[in-house]
Amino acid sequence: MGRYRFEGEEHLMFRKTLRKFLQNEAVPNYKKWEREGIIPKSFWKGLGELGFLCPQVSEDYGGLELDFTFSVVITEELERVGTSLVGISLHNDIVVPYIEAYGSPEQLERWLPGCTSADYITGIAMTEPDTGSDLANVQTTAIRDGDHYIVNGQKTFITNGVNGNLFVVVVKTDPSAEPKHRGISLLVVEEGTPGFTKGRNLDKVGLHAQDTAELYFEDCRVPIANLLGEEGQGFPYLMEKLQQERLVVAIGAQIASEDMLEMTINYVKSRKAFGKPVSSFQNTQFKLAEMATKVELGKTFLESLIEDHIQGKEIVKKVSMAKYWLTETAHEISSECMRLHGGYGYMEDYKIARRYRDIPVASIYAGTNEIMKGIIAKKMGL
């Protein structure tokens, strides 16, 4: 029996194969990757060879044509190792779906095979130094000049920014449009395009193995053939795809909570204080009982959302709730579990320390939790 109602034998085998690969290739190297600040491209290649990159893509382009349930398995197994592997889920379930949904036949042929093999590692460039969740106010411009767009601007906090070589960039093709969001388009920019450069690998509080960089565009000439979908339709495209992005973040937060709870239960059973296991103290039992309840509620809510999403239902309000609540819950659990580990919880040798520093950013990316609450309130008619 799998974790979810929708899990069958194929899912179980898929999960088992991926877990074995990660145990052999990721777990022993994770600390090294954290020290180096990046996950090697050889690891990406290994995932691609086994079919774990963009499994939803058509077989015509090197994919397996699997549904989102298999992406859930991949997201969960990556998160069990560590949140620094989030760039792979971003590639699989957030960036590549833009190309699949809005790309022309020529673009699909050009980019998708490389996305399934890791010849292309993707990123999405939304955030700017002065613009975060307010996407309608992006300042990066793409002005038409014959058969090219001339792109000028800067993006920051871009996941896969160092490893990436194919970026979906949110630009203003009509800076004078009113309302502003009608001037937004999506351009695909490849590494090596003249005028496109990358900044350093940013030094973050957590996610130390996840490469994150700034991207610079200075009179960058991008062929009009790289326009994704229609000009001026970028904002509706973004809104349509954010449901899945936020669901992926919620899935990661749920797995992080489950992982922290499990490791803490094991720790307090083995650790002694005053001659008896820490797990025997009422405070410990109550804290763990509270966390276990939140984890169980989160899993049940998440399963229903995954099923609705696969059926194509519009669940923006509930996904916003899940993204906000599950990331906040994970943050609370990381703090409680670290304290239950005592002094050892503050040591980098213990996985809970890594969880503690990796969790907070989940309440910020994919739209801050304050934005989530605003969406919920709007859907409530407030």
Side-chain angles (χ1 to χ4, degrees):
M1 186 69 182
R3 275 177 54 78
Y4 300 110
R5 288 188 294 268
F6 55 72
E7 273 201 60
E9 192 61 36
E10 283 185 61
H11 295 90
L12 294 174
M13 291 301 297
F14 192 80
R15 189 185 290 277
K16 183 179 178 181
T17 304
L18 176 56
R19 186 173 291 183
K20 182 178 179 182
F21 173 78
L22 294 174
Q23 285 296 320
N24 291 337
E25 303 297 331
V27 174
N29 296 309
Y30 198 90
K31 285 189 177 181
K32 179 173 177 279
W33 295 348
E34 286 206 313
R35 288 194 301 271
E36 295 172 349
I38 199 162
I39 293 164
K41 289 185 178 180
S42 59
F43 177 74
W44 283 82
K45 283 285 187 182
L47 286 168
E49 288 168 6
L50 291 172
F52 297 124
L53 291 184
C54 315
Q56 78 282 0
V57 165
S58 165
E59 290 182 358
D60 294 339
Y61 307 116
L64 301 175
E65 292 190 31
L66 300 175
D67 65 26
F68 185 70
T69 59
F70 289 88
S71 291
V72 172
V73 171
I74 294 173
T75 298
E76 291 190 335
E77 292 304 318
L78 292 171
E79 181 60 46
R80 285 191 196 287
V81 177
T83 314
S84 280
L85 297 176
V86 69
I88 296 155
S89 293
L90 178 123
H91 171 82
N92 285 357
D93 301 317
I94 297 170
V95 187
V96 171
Y98 280 99
I99 298 172
E100 290 180 277
Y102 310 119
S104 66
E106 185 273 334
Q107 289 172 333
L108 300 182
E109 187 72 43
R110 193 164 133 210
W111 293 319
L112 288 183
C115 292
T116 62
S117 67
D119 288 334
Y120 282 126
I121 294 175
T122 64
I124 186 160
M126 299 186 197
T127 305
E128 298 179 353
D130 296 319
T131 309
S133 297
D134 185 10
L135 292 174
N137 278 311
V138 296
Q139 299 301 305
T140 299
T141 56
I143 306 303
R144 183 77 178 266
D145 179 33
D147 291 335
H148 290 79
Y149 288 100
I150 309 301
V151 182
N152 283 283
Q154 178 181 347
K155 299 292 183 176
T156 194
F157 309 142
I158 307 306
T159 303
N160 297 340
V162 178
N163 269 335
N165 53 6
L166 191 73
F167 295 91
V168 175
V169 184
V170 181
V171 296
K172 277 275 180 73
T173 46
D174 182 4
S176 60
E178 287 295 338
K180 294 178 181 179
H181 65 79
R182 290 185 178 169
I184 290 177
S185 302
L186 302 182
L187 274 185
V188 179
V189 182
E190 298 185 45
E191 189 173 30
T193 303
F196 170 39
T197 56
K198 298 177 179 181
R200 62 186 173 86
N201 195 348
L202 297 173
D203 190 13
K204 306 181 296 297
V205 171
L207 303 187
H208 290 165
Q210 170 56 59
D211 57 303
T212 309
E214 294 177 317
L215 308 180
Y216 303 97
F217 304 92
E218 187 173 356
D219 293 330
C220 176
R221 294 183 66 83
V222 180
I224 59 171
N226 284 29
L227 176 69
L228 204 55
E230 295 180 29
E231 192 173 286
Q233 290 299 303
F235 195 80
Y237 294 162
L238 291 165
M239 294 303 103
E240 185 177 326
K241 293 299 178 187
L242 281 171
Q243 173 170 299
Q244 181 159 300
E245 178 174 355
R246 287 160 182 166
L247 182 56
V248 167
V249 173
I251 292 167
Q254 174 65 21
I255 292 299
S257 292
E258 291 180 19
D259 188 45
M260 290 184 288
L261 178 62
E262 181 182 0
M263 73 175 76
T264 305
I265 290 171
N266 291 335
Y267 179 81
V268 298
K269 283 181 177 179
S270 63
R271 180 72 173 169
K272 289 190 175 181
F274 305 102
K276 54 184 179 179
V278 173
S279 60
S280 67
F281 294 105
Q282 189 182 65
N283 178 70
T284 304
Q285 294 174 355
F286 282 11
K287 290 290 185 185
L288 290 170
E290 290 166 7
M291 287 187 273
T293 302
K294 289 179 180 179
V295 164
E296 196 62 36
L297 288 169
K299 182 181 173 184
T300 302
F301 183 39
L302 197 55
E303 181 171 26
S304 72
L305 292 186
I306 291 168
E307 291 176 347
D308 286 348
H309 180 66
I310 290 165
Q311 292 170 19
K313 295 181 181 178
E314 191 274 326
I315 50 170
V316 170
K317 182 173 83 169
K318 287 185 177 180
V319 163
S320 300
M321 289 174 170
K323 194 272 179 184
Y324 138 65
W325 193 78
L326 291 173
T327 58
E328 293 291 344
T329 298
H331 196 179
E332 292 169 15
I333 288 176
S334 72
S335 181
E336 294 286 3
C337 287
M338 189 183 77
R339 285 202 290 269
L340 286 171
H341 275 75
Y344 289 103
Y346 205 62
M347 298 295 110
E348 284 285 345
D349 286 341
Y350 281 73
K351 191 179 180 183
I352 189 61
R354 186 168 82 217
R355 288 290 188 196
Y356 180 76
R357 57 175 160 77
D358 285 350
I359 285 292
V361 72
S363 66
I364 298 171
Y365 56 38
T368 66
N369 284 355
E370 288 70 32
I371 293 289
M372 296 304 101
K373 293 173 188 176
I375 292 169
I376 296 163
K378 185 176 180 181
K379 292 288 184 179
M380 292 170 64
L382 301 176

